[in-house]
Amino acid sequence: MDIVPLIDRIGENPTSALFGLITGVIFGVAAQRSRFCLRAATVEFARGMMRDKVAVWLLTFSTAVVWVQGAQLLGLLDTSDARMMAVPGSWSGAIIGGLLFGAGMVLARGCSGRLLVLAATGNLRSVVSGLIFAVVAQMSLTGWLSPLRDKLAALWITSGGRNMDLLAAAHLPREAGLVIGLMIALLALELSRRNRIGFARLVFASGVGFAAAVGYGLTYALSQVAFEPVQIESLTFTGPSANTLMFFLDRTSVLEFDIGLVPGVVLGSFLAAAATRELKFQGFDGPTPMRNAMIGAVLMGFGGMLAGGCAIGAGVSGGSIFAGTAWLALFCMWIGGMSMDAILGGRGQPAHV
């Protein structure tokens, strides 16, 4: 794909934002139609069930791994210098941040990506939670909470000035990544068969994982021809939520992939919900859900920034390139989510919410 004419016409930064918009729209449509949500899968698993939520999550994750690893084997993509791989990762941040994010997403009734999707369909409680999440994420990035984040992240970092490539650390061939993805996909398809998940939902669940591959592919293509250095990145919502918030508050902000990503998700989710007549205003059911949602949003904002990514950024995008801290953060998000559900006595909101 020759993107040079596009860059010559609109410029590098607008092209990056356009690529973010495209990635976001694909994710928004697919996530809204598949009901993809790590929180729902975690709660379902914590309650001893392996039903549709777990199946959808596994299919999304495996699709991202298969597409990204397959593209690398074909020489179409190289994520060795992706944002998450090119800098030192924090083991301590992945553990602490992952646990906090996992607990927060159960309290808030959705991870950051799911809140964004729900907000676009008229869920006002997700709008409130999402705004709190973005503000706390920005505070953790450059504001009052950044010293605490830096201190916790510095407790234990990866060696060699880069994140750990799990495949290389295990001395596995590059083909192993694709094989692992296919094995997880087979498990997901078997669970889907047992739970009688329809074909359309399977396609959209795969579409969420495909969006992660699209993000990497587009930013990689741009990095190969851009005059200025371009970060190779994909879906994540902690940093982009904070950056998008500041973009609308600071007139000196510039367009980039993040700035297109969040509006893209909103647009895609809105269009998908409108097409199926699922747009509906919803609010808080009472003071306790509102309190839990606000606390959960705070935990996710700080935890996601500390962990180096949210349930999508670490759990799907980071996982698909086998970044060591991303896999650890994802594991801790599951542990944090299951622990919070246990603290709530399994009496929290149903897994499908």
Side-chain angles (χ1 to χ4, degrees), residues 77-91:
L77 177 63
D78 182 4
T79 60
S80 60
D81 290 326
R83 175 192 288 186
M84 190 171 288
M85 295 298 296
V87 298
S90 171
W91 298 115

Side-chain angles (χ1 to χ4, degrees), residues 162-248:
R162 293 175 58 87
N163 207 328
M164 176 185 286
D165 184 326
L166 291 179
L167 297 179
H171 304 289
L172 294 173
R174 296 310 307 181
E175 294 80 3
L178 179 59
V179 172
I180 292 172
L182 290 172
M183 292 174 62
I184 299 174
L186 290 175
L187 173 60
L189 290 174
E190 174 58 21
L191 287 176
S192 300
R193 183 190 65 81
R194 292 182 182 180
N195 291 285
R196 299 180 179 180
I197 300 177
F199 178 75
R201 191 177 180 192
L202 292 179
V203 171
F204 285 117
S206 299
V208 179
F210 176 69
V214 169
Y216 277 129
L218 291 175
T219 55
Y220 175 73
L222 182 59
S223 73
Q224 300 303 295
V225 297
F227 180 76
E228 298 291 337
V230 174
Q231 291 182 321
I232 302 171
E233 56 188 318
S234 189
L235 290 168
T236 187
F237 294 111
T238 309
S241 294
N243 292 338
T244 303
L245 176 65
M246 293 307 298
F247 178 80
F248 291 105

Side-chain angles (χ1 to χ4, degrees), residues 100 128-146 149 238-239 241-242 245 293-306:
L100 291 175
V128 173
S129 299
L131 287 173
I132 294 174
F133 168 80
V135 170
V136 175
Q138 183 61 44
M139 291 173 63
S140 304
L141 179 62
T142 60
W144 290 356
L145 294 176
S146 61
R149 178 184 64 86
T238 309
S241 294
L245 176 65
M294 295 175 70
I295 295 174
V298 171
L299 293 177
M300 285 197 296
F302 181 75
M305 195 61 72
L306 176 59

Side-chain angles (χ1 to χ4, degrees), residues 37-188:
C37 181
L38 177 62
R39 176 258 175 195
T42 301
V43 170
E44 192 175 80
F45 184 81
R47 298 177 187 180
M49 299 179 288
M50 294 287 284
R51 296 181 181 172
D52 62 311
K53 312 305 183 302
V54 174
V56 165
W57 188 90
L58 288 174
L59 186 57
T60 289
F61 181 78
S62 61
T63 301
V65 173
V66 168
W67 274 99
V68 172
Q69 293 299 313
Q72 294 199 102
L73 290 175
L74 293 173
L76 303 175
L77 177 63
D78 182 4
T79 60
S80 60
D81 290 326
R83 175 192 288 186
M84 190 171 288
M85 295 298 296
V87 298
S90 171
W91 298 115
S92 56
I95 295 171
I96 301 171
L99 291 172
L100 291 175
F101 188 96
M105 70 181 181
V106 171
L107 287 171
R109 298 167 62 178
C111 68
S112 51
R114 181 61 178 165
L115 292 180
L116 194 58
V117 171
L118 290 175
T121 64
N123 192 310
L124 301 180
R125 61 176 182 265
S126 294
V127 173
V128 173
S129 299
L131 287 173
I132 294 174
F133 168 80
V135 170
V136 175
Q138 183 61 44
M139 291 173 63
S140 304
L141 179 62
T142 60
W144 290 356
L145 294 176
S146 61
L148 176 60
R149 178 184 64 86
D150 292 339
K151 183 177 181 179
L152 293 175
L155 294 176
W156 186 17
I157 62 174
T158 56
S159 59
R162 293 175 58 87
N163 207 328
M164 176 185 286
D165 184 326
L166 291 179
L167 297 179
H171 304 289
L172 294 173
R174 296 310 307 181
E175 294 80 3
L178 179 59
V179 172
I180 292 172
L182 290 172
M183 292 174 62
I184 299 174
L186 290 175
L187 173 60

